[in-house]
Amino acid sequence: MRIGVPKETAAGERRVALVPDTVRTLIGTGLEVTVEDGAGEAAGHPNAGYVDAGAAVGSGEEAWSADVVLCVATPAVDDIRRLRAGSVL
């Protein structure tokens, strides 16, 4: 199962749905994690931390096409439309 973490798009939102330590735990259970490039920057978690934890850093499309997509704030309608059929938000 692949988990996707897109960038937050809500105005003023600086948080990210997963931090590298949590990614490491999820990877350890056999899950795959894809984090959108720069998703953790505003929260103080650069891409390198996610890569070190075992995540793939990719595009927004890759994050939104995961089996499970994690967000902090309610995503915009246009973002919700990016979900693939059968995925969970």
Side-chain angles (χ1 to χ4, degrees), residues 31-62:
L31 298 172
E32 296 176 27
V33 178
T34 299
V35 178
E36 183 176 354
D37 184 24
E41 292 288 331
H45 300 288
N47 289 342
Y50 290 102
V51 171
D52 290 346
V57 173
S59 68
E61 291 306 317
E62 291 170 310

Side-chain angles (χ1 to χ4, degrees), residues 4-62:
V5 181
K7 285 182 188 178
E8 295 293 325
T9 57
E13 183 60 74
R14 298 177 48 88
R15 297 173 294 171
V16 63
L18 290 178
V19 297
D21 285 342
T22 306
V23 168
R24 185 173 287 107
T25 300
L26 293 171
I27 297 284
T29 68
L31 298 172
E32 296 176 27
V33 178
T34 299
V35 178
E36 183 176 354
D37 184 24
E41 292 288 331
H45 300 288
N47 289 342
Y50 290 102
V51 171
D52 290 346
V57 173
S59 68
E61 291 306 317
E62 291 170 310

